Amino acid sequence: MCGFVGFFNEEDNQARNTEIVRAMSDRIYHRGPDQGDEYVDDCVSLGFRRLSIMDVEGGSQPITNEDGTKVLLFNGEIYDFQPLREELEKAGHVFKTHTDSEVLLHGYEEWGKGLLTRLRGMFAFVIWDRNKRELFGARDIFGIKPFFYFKKGKKFIFGSEIKSFLANPQFEKDLNVNRLPDYLCFEYIPTNETMFRNVYKVTPGTCFTVKDGKFTEERYFTPQYDIDEEKSVEYWADLIDSTFKASTKSHAFADVEVGCFLSSGVDSSFVVHEMAKQNKIKTFSVGYAEEKYSELAPAEEFAKHEGVPNFTKKITAEEYFGATPIIQYYMDEPLPNPSAIALYYLTGLAAEQVKAVLSGEGADELFGGYHYYREPLDFAKYMKVPQPIRNVLGGIASHLPAFHGRRFLMRGRYGIEKRYIRNNYVYNHSEVDGILKTPIPSKDPSFYTKKFFEEAGDVDDISKMQYVDMQTWLVQDILVKADRMSMANSLELRVPFMDKEMLAVALKIPAKYRITDKTTKYALRMAAEKNMPEKTSMMPKKGFLTPLNDWLKRDKFYGMVKEKFQGEVANRYFNQDAIMKLLDDHKAGKAHNMKKIWSIYCFILWYEKYFIETEDPTKTDPFAGRADRLRREQA
């Protein structure tokens, strides 16, 4: 695990380019406090920060091939590197480290971009070919590992985090204000653009080349459903069980101690159960003093059942609000998911004892864990009513006062492509203009999800919804907060559900074995039940609950948000009367506006960190992550 940075040189001054790439690397010190190094030639400058997980002594980067003509920067883990290495050694390649990283370098020499289809792991990497003067890069099929680039004219800067670009004089920092409406709707930008103009995300499952200033991107992997209706649910439960056992075993491989996150849910419990059979592990859980929002009790109970130690922390409201500004800095882009703060403290807790952890992210999207996936079942019979009749009934309902079934009739006018409104959408598209100080032309969220519904192909509505979530919510939100919050505390986070072979299984399971009228993740829960108590395997999904809704009604925290809502940044971008009404109505109990308030509040905090403050906040912020605190202490 690490972070990398790089750029095409604007001037032929090796000393100056080395200084710049080192400054860029320092901005992401938290991604790799164990080691840092650079490679600089007359064309490119490459920098690296390392968190040592495998081949602790000998796995430093950048890594070159035998004759020094190719240079590798790699962030992630390749779980099938050992058989790939054996194959490459038989082909004559000479390895100088014991890391999984070097497989990428020699694999690219041997197979070119064909290497990518052989990889089982999480990765973002670049290979610089000195002879061809060509940069090759790729990102894993899920988008577990981040990869950004800035491109304007001949300028090309890339790295694991956008904040590293701030140290490069070629970078032109500019707010991508046209994407603000998308952020308000989704809580992230649902395309490969970012909140910085001319900064882009490498799309998961793609590779690219840069040569002579030309950027060329190609998709090497697209998930495709291949649903098999013939097999029984018992068959799928057995296959999930065996595949997950193998995935967990490969994800546990490391030269350092690996722990596990543990909540009350089936996903993390399944991970802990498999890890506890293979290793002597530690587990980590967080909660709140407010017991109704805390999952610590069932987590501790399951840890005792498995015979593993469980380390816990209760987060206070003061800690929660105190860490939010620095968390928005670590995010790179504003991300107002309230669970991110809990995850930040959870990774900090784990980082005090281990260097790597396994977590349960991805199970909901692959195996059908969200309650709203049941909606197609609720609408199944109604969808057989002719469209014109549904249109009339929905139109009438929209003009009537509230009554039971009104929303059902209104939504029943539409097919799944338009009816798909995730429960985590923050603002409706129709609300955005009233929130912004100056309206910005924008598209309805369904515009962005439409292409993913089409990509999903001719499958049932539940499968389509899951596919869209895999391409949007999972990539842009769930995996972002998992990566940034773990790396903020210099902790490697591995996700065994986000595995190539697990995905292959998930894409074959019929929807009826994923979602039923009684439960979610049906087949996965059956697999878990073979191994764990029914109380755990059938635990309803709760999400990462927070007391934020209640805290925003307290005078102290209401005041903190009010100060920002009445401040300079809010005045620049938002209708201050409108956002203050959201805040006041929430405090008075007239409306539940927590997500809408938090979305704007987080944007303001993020904007202040990147566009108003000039210093690296990790040097002064008391809530900065573990690596940055250690660096300050050492200095």
Side-chain angles (χ1 to χ4, degrees):
M1 186 69 68
C2 73
F4 59 74
V5 298
F7 60 93
F8 279 82
N9 302 335
E10 199 167 38
E11 56 181 312
D12 187 13
N13 183 330
Q14 185 164 357
R16 175 60 177 153
N17 291 331
T18 301
E19 178 186 349
I20 292 170
V21 79
R22 192 168 292 162
M24 290 177 67
S25 296
D26 283 347
R27 278 282 185 165
I28 57 169
Y29 179 88
H30 49 275
R31 294 194 75 92
D34 293 336
Q35 179 255 332
D37 207 348
E38 304 84 31
Y39 167 89
V40 179
D41 65 22
D42 61 335
C43 192
V44 300
S45 299
L46 310 175
F48 179 77
R49 295 294 329 175
R50 184 181 186 219
L51 182 67
S52 304
I53 302 295
M54 292 169 55
D55 192 5
V56 174
E57 298 299 324
S60 302
Q61 293 185 41
I63 297 176
T64 58
N65 64 343
E66 296 95 332
D67 60 7
T69 58
K70 292 182 176 64
V71 188
L72 170 76
L73 294 177
F74 164 58
N75 174 24
E77 301 290 347
I78 305 301
Y79 301 118
D80 60 345
F81 81 97
Q82 290 171 312
L84 290 175
R85 176 175 176 137
E86 291 171 7
E87 187 175 352
L88 288 164
E89 286 178 328
K90 289 177 181 177
H93 293 271
V94 178
F95 285 74
K96 54 188 175 185
T97 75
H98 297 288
T99 66
D100 55 334
S101 311
E102 200 173 356
V103 163
L104 299 175
L105 189 61
H106 298 297
Y108 182 66
E109 287 184 292
E110 185 70 21
W111 303 305
K113 65 185 179 184
L115 159 73
L116 301 173
T117 60
R118 294 170 171 260
L119 300 176
R120 183 179 185 179
M122 55 180 185
F123 57 83
F125 70 87
V126 294
I127 294 175
W128 169 241
D129 189 319
R130 291 178 56 192
N131 291 340
K132 292 182 179 179
R133 289 293 194 255
E134 180 179 86
L135 186 75
F136 176 81
R139 192 178 182 197
D140 67 68
I141 62 175
F142 296 105
I144 302 169
K145 292 292 97 189
F147 200 160
F148 298 95
Y149 64 93
F150 168 79
K151 188 173 187 341
K152 186 176 181 182
K154 293 185 178 180
K155 296 177 180 178
F156 189 81
I157 308 170
F158 61 90
S160 299
E161 295 186 15
I162 299 172
K163 62 182 63 64
S164 67
F165 300 174
L166 301 174
N168 192 312
Q170 292 187 49
F171 181 53
E172 301 173 26
K173 184 176 65 175
D174 189 13
L175 181 69
N176 193 2
V177 71
N178 290 335
R179 298 279 73 83
L180 187 52
D182 300 330
Y183 164 78
L184 291 174
C185 288
F186 283 89
E187 78 179 27
Y188 53 81
I189 296 178
T191 70
N192 74 329
E193 291 189 56
T194 70
M195 284 304 297
F196 294 91
R197 196 182 303 277
N198 299 315
V199 175
Y200 304 92
K201 297 164 276 200
V202 176
T203 304
T206 66
C207 58
F208 68 85
T209 57
V210 184
K211 184 177 175 66
D212 299 327
K214 183 180 178 182
F215 178 89
T216 305
E217 189 174 40
E218 176 184 344
R219 193 160 186 172
Y220 69 85
F221 179 86
T222 302
Q224 290 185 323
Y225 282 104
D226 183 22
I227 295 173
D228 183 349
E229 298 281 359
E230 301 300 318
K231 307 290 195 305
S232 67
V233 67
E234 290 79 12
Y235 170 88
W236 294 116
D238 288 342
L239 186 58
I240 290 171
D241 186 34
S242 60
T243 308
F244 188 66
K245 282 179 168 62
S247 178
T248 307
K249 184 176 182 180
S250 65
H251 280 68
F253 187 86
D255 292 333
V256 297
E257 185 178 2
V258 179
C260 286
F261 290 159
L262 179 59
S263 69
S264 65
V266 62
D267 307 332
S268 64
S269 299
F270 204 173
V271 174
V272 167
H273 174 77
E274 290 304 321
M275 283 288 287
K277 291 193 302 185
Q278 302 170 26
N279 305 279
K280 193 174 181 180
I281 62 162
K282 298 171 182 174
T283 65
F284 306 91
S285 309
V286 294
Y288 301 96
E290 294 84 348
E291 290 298 327
K292 66 178 179 178
Y293 296 105
S294 183
E295 298 182 61
L296 288 180
E300 291 172 334
E301 181 182 343
F302 184 74
K304 287 180 181 177
H305 175 271
E306 293 292 324
V308 296
N310 182 232
F311 299 88
T312 64
K313 174 180 174 58
K314 289 185 178 180
I315 304 165
T316 67
E318 286 74 18
E319 287 175 320
Y320 190 96
F321 277 82
T324 301
I326 192 67
I327 283 172
Q328 290 307 311
Y329 173 77
Y330 280 124
M331 287 294 187
D332 271 341
E333 300 182 81
L335 186 66
N337 190 321
S339 66
I341 292 89
L343 186 55
Y344 176 73
Y345 281 106
L346 177 60
T347 60
L349 175 68
E352 294 173 0
Q353 302 201 46
V354 297
K355 267 193 163 183
V357 292
L358 269 61
S359 184
E361 274 85 0
D364 291 318
E365 290 77 12
L366 266 66
F367 295 97
Y370 297 120
H371 292 293
Y372 60 82
Y373 290 152
R374 290 178 180 169
E375 189 184 77
L377 301 181
D378 298 334
F379 276 93
K381 291 182 179 179
Y382 190 60
M383 287 295 106
K384 295 177 182 179
V385 175
Q387 179 78 55
I389 297 176
R390 287 188 281 120
N391 286 342
V392 170
L393 292 175
I396 293 172
S398 67
H399 292 93
L400 294 176
F403 64 90
H404 181 69
R406 179 174 179 263
R407 186 171 181 270
F408 179 90
L409 292 173
M410 290 169 59
R411 287 171 60 76
R413 289 177 288 182
Y414 308 118
I416 189 63
E417 290 81 1
K418 286 193 174 181
R419 205 171 65 238
Y420 172 86
I421 300 295
R422 296 196 86 264
N423 62 354
N424 61 286
Y425 280 3
V426 182
Y427 288 90
N428 292 328
H429 186 247
S430 59
E431 297 174 316
V432 170
D433 283 352
I435 294 299
L436 295 171
K437 183 172 185 177
T438 303
I440 299 170
S442 61
K443 294 181 172 64
D444 186 86
S446 61
F447 171 83
Y448 297 106
T449 57
K450 182 176 184 294
K451 72 171 185 176
F452 298 121
F453 277 109
E454 293 171 349
E455 277 185 15
D458 186 19
V459 292
D460 58 90
D461 286 353
I462 291 173
S463 298
K464 287 179 179 178
M465 293 173 74
Q466 288 183 241
Y467 184 89
V468 173
D469 278 353
M470 280 188 255
Q471 301 297 325
T472 55
W473 167 247
L474 178 64
V475 178
Q476 311 286 16
D477 195 307
I478 298 295
L479 293 176
V480 171
K481 68 183 175 69
D483 173 81
R484 302 305 188 283
M485 294 301 89
S486 57
M487 283 286 91
N489 285 298
S490 306
L491 180 77
E492 171 163 300
L493 190 147
R494 299 179 176 184
V495 281
F497 283 109
M498 297 271 85
D499 174 74
K500 187 163 125 177
E501 299 304 321
M502 291 297 294
L503 176 63
V505 173
L507 293 174
K508 291 178 179 292
I509 300 175
K512 64 185 178 183
Y513 297 146
R514 286 177 261 136
I515 299 291
T516 73
D517 58 355
K518 294 181 180 179
T519 190
T520 61
K521 289 183 291 199
Y522 179 31
L524 176 64
R525 291 182 188 277
M526 280 191 65
E529 197 172 0
K530 296 173 182 290
N531 302 277
M532 300 184 299
E534 182 179 358
K535 179 180 179 181
T536 303
S537 63
M538 298 307 294
M539 178 73 72
K541 182 171 179 61
K542 296 180 180 179
F544 220 148
L545 302 177
T546 72
L548 182 58
N549 190 68
D550 297 340
W551 289 340
L552 286 170
K553 297 176 183 178
R554 295 186 190 175
D555 288 343
K556 178 178 181 179
F557 306 116
Y558 164 85
M560 291 173 63
V561 177
K562 179 180 178 180
E563 180 184 358
K564 297 300 181 184
F565 277 21
Q566 294 182 335
E568 174 192 348
V569 179
N571 181 55
R572 188 177 303 179
Y573 294 107
F574 299 104
N575 178 339
Q576 288 179 288
D577 290 338
I579 63 176
M580 277 304 305
K581 186 176 188 308
L582 289 172
L583 184 60
D584 288 338
D585 284 353
H586 184 87
K587 188 174 191 296
K590 296 179 181 179
H592 297 288
N593 293 326
M594 180 267 284
K595 292 182 73 172
K596 294 180 177 181
I597 293 165
W598 200 245
S599 180
I600 293 172
Y601 182 64
C602 287
F603 174 85
I604 293 171
L605 296 179
W606 169 83
Y607 187 91
E608 288 177 341
K609 290 296 180 189
Y610 279 93
F611 288 90
I612 294 178
E613 299 175 12
T614 56
E615 291 295 318
D616 179 349
T618 60
K619 295 179 180 177
T620 56
D621 197 310
F623 288 93
R626 184 184 70 146
D628 296 295
R629 291 197 299 273
L630 290 172
R631 180 170 57 175
R632 290 199 301 275
E633 291 169 4
Q634 292 168 359

